[in-house]
Amino acid sequence: MNWELIFSNAVYVAFSSSAAAYALIAIGINVHIGYTGLLNFGQAGFAAAGAYGMAIPLATFGWHWTAAIGSSIFFAILLALLLGAPTLRLRSDYLAIVTIAAAEIIRISMMSVRFTWLTGGTDGKKGFADFLVDSNPFGDNRYQFFAQSVNGYSLYITIIGWILVAIFGSLVYFMMRGPWGRVLRGIREDETAVRSLGKSVTKFKMQSLVLGGVIGAVGGIILASEKQSAQPMEYGTTLTFFAFTIVILGGLATARGPIIGAVIFWFILQFVDNVLEQATRNEVVPTWVVNGNNFGQVKFILAGFALALLVVFRPQGIYGNKREMSFDSR
Amino acid sequence: MRGVREARRQAIARLVFAFGVTLTLVSFGGNAQAATDEDDSRPEVIVGAVRDQYKDDAGKKVVENVPGVEVIITVEGGAEVTRLITDDKGEFQTEVPDPGNYLVEINPDTVPDGMEIVDSTKTPRTITVNPESQATAIFFLGANTTKAVSRWELLPQALFNGIKLAAIIAICAIGLALVYATTGLSNFAHGETVTFGAFAAWTLNVKMGVPFLISAAIATILTAAVSVGMERGVWKPMRQRRSSLTSMMIVSIGLALGVRYIFQFVYGARYTNYSAFGRQATMDFGPFNATPRTLWVMAICVVLSVLVSAWLLYTRQGRAIRAVADNPALASSTGINSDYVIAYVWLVGGALAGIGGILYGLDIGVQWDMGFRLLLLIFAAVTLGGLGNPFGAILGSLVIGIFVELWAWLLPAATELKTIGAMLILIIVLLVRPQGLLGSPERAG
């Protein structure tokens, strides 16, 4: 068992660009469920809109990268409007079912053989990351983090990712402290009261859905940029519920919750994964318990039960305020 | 406070018990281990094969080798490397000069008459050849059946398949709708209940050699027991703690995710079949074909749906369930024990989901995420019919099942998109009639 590698890799992953991408996706979810009380179960759909919204114009139509990022944001806003229009006036479980269905529609369409020329099919959309590769200041150098070696490109995307986390994290922090954020919290606590103050609840909910969706789309862009490929399988329901676990772990309706949550979540997951990987490779554990074929599932099992147990036993997470915890307020 | 702590302790004990049941099943599962041998200093090679894959009259999958097909290999974005003709085994092999990406393509003019390249086989296909290793490309051809039959002649078969899917969705959906009606919970773990039924039957049947019908019966009882166990161990304590429906829903999602990957952990990702009713001759009913197995699956679903509807409408217990669904407080005041009624609902819903899973496994094979894939269709059916209305759920299932297969019939080139149709119709119905087909308007509020 190479403990140095196990630890250094887990720490690396906890601060990697994937963790940054998940932090962004979780910040988006936090705007929806934490501050506004909107049950968005389709955050993966927003992330996919972000990833493919950028990858397709760049790789297939040869747009400039600024235009491509614009298109990615445009598609996230469009998706929010499409999902919000029929459901925001209804009870919250309708939004949940419609968003999860929409996210699956997007993923299945992206995987379709029919549209492979456009979306890359099951192999994913590649060939869009030239502008990132060209602007990478670290080149092909490799950097050593204890036993973990990191290449220049990954380091570059990681830095961009965490800068974006800082930008959107503080944006959400300041917006939620202002009057706009207070209206959202008011909607979460008591819609009718907010309506009696003359605010248009549906309009505010829609703005919240758009803001959180766009942040999720930025997370999707980072996720795709790191692999230089938009992979349809990554934008499944698991992504949404990992983000849920992250935001509940860190603390709903707190600005730092999703960020700290992402770091801790990925550290634990990667640590367990590494220990099992080494244990199975060195045959420390008998193969009927866990083996090279199935150790990878353990992290999903852990994440799932962690989500359930957190909601039951510590719904406020690490930083949350139990009184502000949104699910039990109604 | 003591009460809460006690409830919490019991909740943990019960969770551990539920885990134990799962693990017992788990220990009978198995994992095939794939071993790969690596060899030093080999040249870069592309190997592959062209196969003809079709179902014979008995519905059994047959794979045959196709010799004499020309395969063209090109450097990606570059020059042609070679052209090969598949040998008697339908295989081809060549060394390529360098590692890298190559395009492998079947020359469509050399495909034998009566066969065509199936849509799922990609040609040309990019494959990556790593240094000192070989890359594989297998192409599938299929019998060219679309030529002889017109679209309209395929319609009855599509409708029949739709009704079959609807029947399976319906008996899974009843449980979800009843639970929603009595407790307000949208149970995302319902899909895993379905999968549990299928795997319980599979484990008993294949791993332990119990005859299929007996394993199916035991699996149904087990699924019902686990379902009631979840109610008593998780949902009832949560209701007693006055947890909101949202947190219960998120707990159900967490449990679903965890349990789903336990299934994959134990049983792997492959499809498996029961040891009975595997190969059956198709019976010709004129406009459509069906195996006796399919007919049995449909008959069982229809009979069960009718029985459950009658039970809900005409028995004391059924009336009690509907009373609790309409107004729990009023129901309690008339002397109905709502906890008992809810446990009953979970029992019946779990048993139906288990049967649904067993039958779905009979139809398409048993796989770790079968229930999850069905779950979105079940939710679509339940929402479409009117959340919480069991009769609406049956009607919604019929619409969803038929719509899914009709979509596949309308767009034969994109059958992988057929579940999208169901979700689109769900969204459209929510736009015009948010309470669903049979729902009462005040429920949507």
Side-chain angles (χ1 to χ4, degrees):
Chain A
M1 303 283 278
N2 182 348
W3 288 102
E4 194 196 348
L5 183 62
I6 289 175
F7 267 103
S8 55
N9 177 263
V11 171
Y12 165 69
V13 169
F15 290 98
S16 68
S17 54
S18 310
Y22 273 78
L24 283 164
I25 292 164
I27 291 173
I29 289 246
N30 197 22
V31 172
H32 296 150
I33 189 165
Y35 292 108
T36 326
L38 291 176
L39 274 185
N40 171 19
F41 281 7
Q43 187 71 344
F46 286 101
Y52 282 95
M54 178 185 75
I56 291 174
L58 271 172
T60 309
F61 305 117
W63 288 17
H64 191 257
W65 65 271
T66 46
I69 287 173
S71 117
S72 152
I73 307 246
F74 167 79
F75 277 109
I77 295 173
L78 186 70
L79 181 62
L81 296 177
L82 281 177
L83 290 181
T87 51
L88 284 181
R89 275 170 294 121
L90 302 175
R91 212 179 34 203
S92 60
D93 17 1
Y94 283 95
L95 181 69
I97 292 169
V98 168
T99 45
I100 199 172
E104 284 295 285
I105 290 178
I106 293 173
R107 187 179 62 89
I108 295 169
S109 314
M110 294 302 137
M111 283 171 69
S112 166
V113 182
R114 199 77 180 148
F115 305 124
T116 303
W117 63 273
L118 187 67
T119 64
T122 47
D123 293 345
K125 187 74 178 172
K126 299 185 179 68
F128 59 85
D130 290 349
F131 78 95
L132 288 166
V133 175
D134 294 342
S135 62
N136 171 18
F138 304 103
D140 289 336
N141 302 335
R142 295 195 75 84
Y143 298 88
Q144 204 65 23
F145 176 77
F146 296 100
Q148 172 72 37
S149 144
V150 185
N151 70 40
Y153 182 79
S154 295
L155 186 65
Y156 180 48
I157 301 295
T158 303
I159 290 171
I160 295 178
W162 286 106
I163 290 174
L164 288 170
V165 169
I167 292 173
F168 284 103
S170 22
L171 178 75
V172 168
Y173 175 73
F174 287 113
M175 287 185 94
M176 292 307 157
R177 275 162 60 105
W180 188 77
R182 268 198 300 281
V183 177
L184 290 194
R185 286 164 199 245
I187 291 173
R188 182 189 71 199
E189 299 299 330
D190 190 342
E191 253 184 69
T192 319
V194 173
R195 206 169 277 130
S196 78
L197 294 173
K199 307 280 184 197
S200 164
V201 168
T202 315
K203 210 153 121 195
F204 275 94
K205 280 183 172 177
M206 186 66 96
Q207 290 164 357
S208 159
L209 195 64
V210 168
L211 175 68
V214 168
I215 300 175
V218 175
I221 292 178
I222 296 294
L223 215 51
S225 303
E226 189 219 353
K227 299 194 172 70
Q228 306 189 19
S229 161
Q231 298 278 347
M233 292 307 288
E234 267 193 275
Y235 303 96
T237 47
T238 316
L239 171 63
T240 304
F241 298 128
F242 271 19
F244 260 81
T245 314
I246 286 170
V247 75
I248 294 171
L249 177 68
L252 276 165
T254 61
R256 56 191 164 169
I259 303 169
I260 307 287
V263 172
I264 297 176
F265 179 83
W266 276 114
F267 177 80
I268 296 175
L269 240 58
Q270 194 61 32
F271 183 76
V272 170
D273 210 42
N274 288 347
V275 169
L276 288 173
E277 203 250 288
Q278 294 253 338
T280 51
R281 190 189 295 163
N282 302 328
E283 291 169 2
V284 180
V285 286
T287 50
W288 62 266
V289 178
V290 62
N291 56 50
N293 289 321
N294 65 10
F295 77 87
Q297 269 82 60
V298 172
K299 59 172 179 280
F300 295 100
I301 299 172
L302 274 181
F305 287 112
L307 177 59
L309 292 171
L310 273 171
V311 172
V312 175
F313 296 112
R314 201 172 165 82
Q316 72 272 37
I318 297 170
Y319 288 117
N321 175 352
K322 201 159 190 180
R323 271 193 319 167
E324 250 220 295
M325 227 293 306
S326 64
F327 318 132
D328 281 343
S329 62
R330 279 190 276 188
Chain B
M1 195 57 216
R2 221 191 125 260
V4 172
R5 208 168 276 163
E6 178 67 7
R8 191 182 281 192
R9 198 185 56 76
Q10 286 187 358
I12 295 175
R14 280 160 179 157
L15 258 182
V16 169
F17 170 76
F19 239 121
V21 173
T22 323
L23 284 180
T24 322
L25 280 174
V26 159
S27 50
F28 288 108
N31 258 289
Q33 225 164 345
T36 46
D37 290 86
E38 289 295 331
D39 202 30
D40 281 4
S41 69
R42 291 181 304 182
E44 288 80 31
V45 179
I46 292 178
V47 296
V50 179
R51 308 265 188 240
D52 179 22
Q53 190 182 31
Y54 60 95
K55 286 195 174 160
D56 68 5
D57 295 342
K60 185 188 158 201
K61 199 190 251 184
V62 183
V63 177
E64 279 179 6
N65 307 321
V66 187
V69 178
E70 188 177 53
V71 179
I72 308 162
I73 297 177
T74 346
V75 179
E76 195 182 39
E80 188 175 305
V81 179
T82 178
R83 288 177 181 237
L84 304 158
I85 305 287
T86 55
D87 61 14
D88 289 344
K89 290 192 217 147
E91 290 169 1
F92 59 89
Q93 174 165 7
T94 182
E95 281 184 24
V96 285
D98 298 299
N101 285 346
Y102 290 87
L103 277 181
V104 185
E105 184 179 5
I106 297 184
N107 183 348
D109 301 337
T110 60
V111 171
D113 290 343
M115 289 183 201
E116 61 177 17
I117 299 158
V118 296
D119 288 327
S120 56
T121 266
K122 240 175 32 179
T123 172
R125 178 188 310 181
T126 311
I127 63 172
T128 307
V129 185
N130 293 318
E132 293 185 11
S133 58
Q134 71 178 30
T136 315
I138 294 173
F139 297 92
F140 285 104
L141 304 178
N144 188 351
T145 48
T146 44
K147 248 177 214 163
V149 197
S150 83
R151 286 284 293 288
W152 291 102
E153 285 174 65
L154 292 169
L155 183 60
Q157 185 71 47
L159 285 174
F160 176 81
N161 291 346
I163 294 168
K164 177 183 70 182
L165 182 62
I168 293 170
I169 295 174
I171 68 162
C172 296
I174 293 170
L176 192 75
L178 283 176
V179 165
Y180 184 87
T182 50
T183 67
L185 169 67
S186 301
N187 178 22
F188 277 78
H190 197 70
E192 277 52 52
T193 317
V194 170
T195 317
F196 181 89
F199 269 122
W202 183 84
T203 308
L204 288 161
N205 179 229
V206 176
K207 288 282 168 186
M208 296 163 76
V210 180
F212 176 72
L213 290 177
I214 300 172
S215 0
I218 299 174
T220 308
I221 296 167
L222 270 179
T223 318
V226 168
S227 179
V228 175
M230 290 302 289
E231 150 65 11
R232 287 288 151 131
V234 181
W235 309 121
K236 188 180 164 194
M238 284 196 78
R239 280 199 305 277
Q240 281 169 345
R241 297 176 66 192
R242 305 209 169 274
S243 296
S244 70
L245 291 172
T246 307
S247 43
M248 288 169 76
M249 181 152 82
I250 296 175
V251 168
S252 81
I253 287 169
L255 290 175
L257 188 66
V259 172
R260 183 155 77 245
Y261 281 94
I262 287 183
F263 288 134
Q264 196 191 351
F265 181 81
V266 175
Y267 295 100
R270 64 192 190 282
Y271 276 100
T272 47
N273 285 305
Y274 304 116
S275 66
F277 305 113
R279 293 166 202 165
Q280 286 188 326
T282 352
M283 298 191 295
D284 193 351
F285 289 92
F288 64 89
N289 299 321
T291 56
R293 183 183 65 209
T294 321
L295 295 176
W296 276 109
V297 166
M298 289 170 71
I300 292 169
C301 292
V302 170
V303 168
L304 279 175
S305 305
V306 171
L307 280 179
V308 172
S309 306
W311 178 69
L312 283 171
L313 284 173
Y314 302 116
T315 65
R316 266 187 79 83
Q317 286 153 341
R319 271 194 291 270
I321 290 172
R322 287 186 292 139
V324 172
D326 269 355
N327 189 332
L330 195 61
S332 297
S333 74
T334 60
I336 294 172
N337 180 349
S338 61
D339 268 342
Y340 182 71
V341 168
I342 291 170
Y344 234 101
V345 161
W346 281 93
L347 182 84
V348 173
L352 286 174
I355 295 172
I358 296 166
L359 296 179
Y360 194 45
L362 209 51
D363 191 35
I364 64 151
V366 181
Q367 205 197 13
W368 65 286
D369 64 346
M370 57 189 283
F372 177 69
R373 278 182 286 127
L374 202 58
L375 183 72
L376 284 175
L377 295 183
I378 298 173
F379 261 118
V382 170
T383 317
L384 194 62
L387 272 171
N389 183 329
F391 309 108
I394 296 174
L395 182 67
S397 306
L398 206 58
V399 175
I400 292 291
I402 291 176
F403 196 81
V404 164
E405 293 297 335
L406 272 188
W407 179 283
W409 172 77
L410 267 174
L411 299 167
T415 50
E416 74 272 17
L417 296 178
K418 66 186 181 183
T419 46
I420 286 184
M423 293 171 201
L424 283 179
I425 201 174
L426 168 71
I427 294 174
I428 292 164
V429 168
L430 282 181
L431 266 172
V432 283
R433 201 179 152 79
Q435 70 270 34
L437 299 174
L438 296 187
S440 40
E442 75 270 12
R443 281 217 173 119

